[in-house]
Amino acid sequence: MDEQGRFQGGLLSAGGFPSEDVPAIYSRTALLGTTLVTLAFVVVAELQVPWVLLPLGLFVLFVAPGYAVVALLFGARTLPSLALNIAMIVGMSVLFNAVVGTLLLYYAIAPLAPLVGAFAAVVCAAATVVQYQRERWNESRRPGQWLRSVLALPGFTPAQRTAAYALLIGVAVTFGAIGYLSTLQPRSAPDLSLAIVGPGGTTSTLPTSGTVNSTLALIVEVGNNATSQSLVLGVNSTLVGQTGSTRTTVPWTVPLHLAPNVTSSESLSLTSGETDNIQFSFQVDTGGDYAISFFLTPLQSHVAVRTSSLTVRIT
């Protein structure tokens, strides 16, 4: 080959066109497997199988659609760098999922996860068909030879090869960190909270004793960390050591007049994240040791979801 021919061949190789030294990584078999895994994600997302949903979801989020898109774009002219291919696959996957997810959310189309997976599966299937037609995969190349040619990064200078290896390691570490963080269970905040404190805002100032018909005060703190909801805040007064099957209901007026086996309630409407501090005062017209219990109950329910109580001695 003359000098002009060698020069033109060098230009083609540098321009990213196929050469014998550049391995094809977009196998039609791998694309078919990607399609099948993505279809499995669609089924798992629809059935809500949590232990399988996480790994398949990470694959669909960061690999599947990007692998198919890059294969469609560059399958006939494989990129010479494994690190560059990985960066293109991850970037295209995130872009694809962001665009499809945003459109589904904008038009309020659900369920989101199975539909995103279905779109990704369509793209993977299309890439599989196209790659079969291209016949880009070299069946005769041995796996060991293919791996050595990939890691050699042909056409790179030593500095470029070092940078490519660093990028590849960074991508692997990032994937490992994402996988680890996805296994951690965040600390779940309670949907509701109920607490009683004294007028000073602490439990140390809660009333523990009083006289007949004297007014005792406290604060009922109700917190809502979930969605907006309506609740019933109730209070019961009972003599310690005694039980009563019948309670007398009195209106919720401040100060509330309590006695043995008396109950009262008031409706609350809380927005998401709202905390309501209710100034509460009461009087007791009969002496004794009283257990005063506060409880939160959803509307149309008789089962308390949060309770709090104190004991007061009335003399």
Side-chain angles (χ1 to χ4, degrees), residues 26 222 260 277 287 307:
Y26 299 99
V222 180
N277 294 326
T307 60

Side-chain angles (χ1 to χ4, degrees), residues 38-39 41-42 60 96 100 112-125:
T38 307
L39 289 173
F41 167 78
V42 176
V60 172
F96 176 90
V100 173
L112 183 62
L115 287 176
V116 171
F119 277 103
V122 170
V123 175
C124 292

